Amino acid sequence: MSLLVNGSDSCCGRVEIRYNGQWGTVCDDNWDMNDAAVVCRQLQCGSAISAPHSAAFGQGSGSIWLDDIKCSGSEGTLTQCSHKGLGKNDCNHGEDAGVVCSGAQNISLVNGLDACSGRVEIFYGTWGAVCGQSWDIDDAAVVCRQLGCGRAVIADGQSLFGVRGNVWLSEVNCKGNESSITQCSQRNGNNCPQSNEAGVICSDYSIRLVNGNNDCSGRVEILYNGQWGTVCDDDWDMKDAAVVCRQMGCGTAVSAQTSAHFGQGSGPIWLDDVRCSGSESSLTQCSHPTIGTNNCGHSEDAGVVCLQGICNFFPVVLLYLYEIFS
C-alpha cells in the first residue's frame, strides 16, 4: 500500500509505503519519472508531472523501505519494479523521494463505442460537458493521453455523441503536449450552444516493434491503459502483419513471426485471435476478442518483419560485401 504525504493534496507529496504494518519512505537514489509514473497510476492520480528528490516534501521517519528503484513505468506497484529488497538501503531521510501527479482522474468519455471514444465530460462536483467551439485535434490529443487511450483520431465539436446540457469548460486551447486538460488554457462557464459539445475518438493503443534490427521489425507490443503488452500468435498471419507494418509506416509485410521469434515479452497479453483482412489501418479495427482476453503465454508472442526494415538494413549488407570482395 502506498500514499503521498505532506503535499497540497493526496496526489502529491513524499512517497510512503506500508510494509509489515509499518509506514516508511523511499530513497531517491535513481528516482525518476518512470518511478513516479507507477506511483501516480497506483494511486489513480493521473500522470506524473515531476519526481522530486532530497526530501522536497519534508523528511519522513521510521524505515526506508525501498532504494535503487528502477521502474519501466508500466508496473502496477512500486514493489513490482527492480529494487534492492525491502528494507535494504544506504540512505537517510534527507533523501526521501516525492511525486507530483496531474491529479485524480476527473474526466471520462460518454456515449461512445468504448472507453476511448465519446463525449468529453469533466467532474467538478457533478459531471459536465466541454464546449466544442474551437475544439481541435490538439485538445483531443490531451484527452486521449490523459485517459491512456493512445493518439487522437477525431476531434468532434458538433455533439456527435449527444448532448449533456450543462457545460463546465469552454474555449479550451491546448498545445497538445499537456498531460491533463486542466493544464490547458480554458474558461469556466456554460455559455455554449448545445449543438457544440466536444467529443473525441482515440486509437485505444499505441504500437511498437521490439527486439528487432530496427524500428520496422520485432515483437509486436501495444500500449493500452498506460501499460505495454504483447500480442498472441494464435491465427497470426501475413494479413495481420500487413496491418502492423502499415500502421507503423514501415511499408509492406515480409513475414509474420510466431513463437516469440523476437524473444518473450512481459506484462499483459493484450490481443489474441487477431483476424485482419489486411486492409485495416490499425490492429484495433481487426476482429479480436475483448482486449486482455487470451489463453496464451509469452512463448506465443507475435512478431513482424516489414519491408522498410529490410531496406534500411540492405545498404549495410552491401557495404559489408563490398569490403570483403574488393
Side-chain angles (χ1 to χ4, degrees):
M1 182 178 180
S2 302
L3 53 74
L4 299 177
V5 177
N6 274 6
S8 58
D9 57 43
S10 60
C11 289
C12 68
R14 182 176 65 248
V15 182
E16 294 199 357
I17 62 173
R18 185 178 175 89
Y19 178 67
N20 277 347
Q22 182 181 358
W23 287 99
T25 63
V26 174
C27 183
D28 66 9
D29 290 347
N30 296 313
W31 189 250
D32 63 19
M33 287 294 287
N34 286 337
D35 309 321
V38 173
V39 174
C40 293
R41 181 184 307 109
Q42 184 178 359
L43 295 176
Q44 297 183 329
C45 281
S47 56
I49 295 175
S50 66
H53 288 220
S54 305
F57 293 100
Q59 296 187 25
S61 59
S63 301
I64 298 174
W65 285 129
L66 292 177
D67 186 18
D68 286 332
I69 295 177
K70 297 182 180 71
C71 300
S72 69
S74 62
E75 297 86 352
T77 66
L78 278 182
T79 54
Q80 295 174 358
C81 303
S82 170
H83 56 80
K84 279 187 172 180
L86 282 159
K88 296 180 179 180
N89 70 85
D90 57 358
C91 307
N92 60 64
H93 284 297
E95 301 171 84
D96 284 346
V99 166
V100 178
C101 309
S102 62
Q105 200 73 291
N106 61 350
I107 188 170
S108 66
L109 299 179
V110 178
N111 284 358
L113 294 175
D114 52 35
C116 291
S117 64
R119 181 176 66 247
V120 181
E121 294 200 354
I122 306 291
F123 187 79
Y124 287 147
T126 60
W127 288 98
V130 175
C131 187
Q133 288 182 321
S134 77
W135 186 256
D136 61 23
I137 199 68
D138 288 335
D139 308 321
V142 174
V143 172
C144 294
R145 182 182 305 112
Q146 187 175 355
L147 289 171
C149 282
R151 63 184 180 87
V153 177
I154 292 176
D156 164 56
Q158 300 294 324
S159 300
L160 175 65
F161 299 101
V163 173
R164 170 168 281 276
N166 59 312
V167 173
W168 285 142
L169 295 181
S170 59
E171 298 179 19
V172 174
N173 184 15
C174 300
K175 296 176 182 177
N177 58 3
E178 296 88 349
S179 59
S180 167
I181 195 172
T182 56
Q183 297 174 358
C184 302
S185 170
Q186 61 191 254
R187 184 172 66 84
N188 296 335
N190 199 22
N191 183 22
C192 180
Q194 287 189 356
S195 60
N196 292 109
E197 292 185 6
V200 302
I201 297 177
C202 313
S203 64
D204 57 0
Y205 52 72
S206 301
I207 190 167
R208 67 183 181 185
L209 298 177
V210 178
N211 277 3
N213 291 324
N214 47 56
D215 291 340
C216 290
S217 66
R219 181 176 64 249
V220 181
E221 294 196 351
I222 59 175
L223 180 68
Y224 179 72
N225 279 345
Q227 187 172 7
W228 286 101
T230 63
V231 176
C232 184
D233 65 8
D234 291 349
D235 295 315
W236 189 252
D237 61 20
M238 286 294 289
K239 293 179 180 178
D240 309 319
V243 173
V244 173
C245 292
R246 182 182 305 111
Q247 187 173 357
M248 292 287 298
C250 286
T252 56
V254 174
S255 66
Q257 300 291 341
T258 59
S259 304
H261 177 83
F262 293 101
Q264 296 187 27
S266 59
I269 298 173
W270 284 132
L271 291 180
D272 187 17
D273 292 328
V274 177
R275 295 183 180 90
C276 302
S277 69
S279 61
E280 296 88 351
S281 58
S282 74
L283 277 182
T284 52
Q285 297 173 357
C286 303
S287 169
H288 59 80
T290 304
I291 193 162
T293 301
N294 70 85
N295 58 358
C296 307
H298 283 295
S299 61
E300 301 170 83
D301 285 343
V304 303
V305 176
C306 307
L307 181 62
Q308 187 65 42
I310 291 178
C311 290
N312 289 342
F313 183 62
F314 193 57
V316 178
V317 176
L318 287 177
L319 179 60
Y320 176 71
L321 293 174
Y322 174 79
E323 289 176 348
I324 290 176
F325 294 109
S326 62

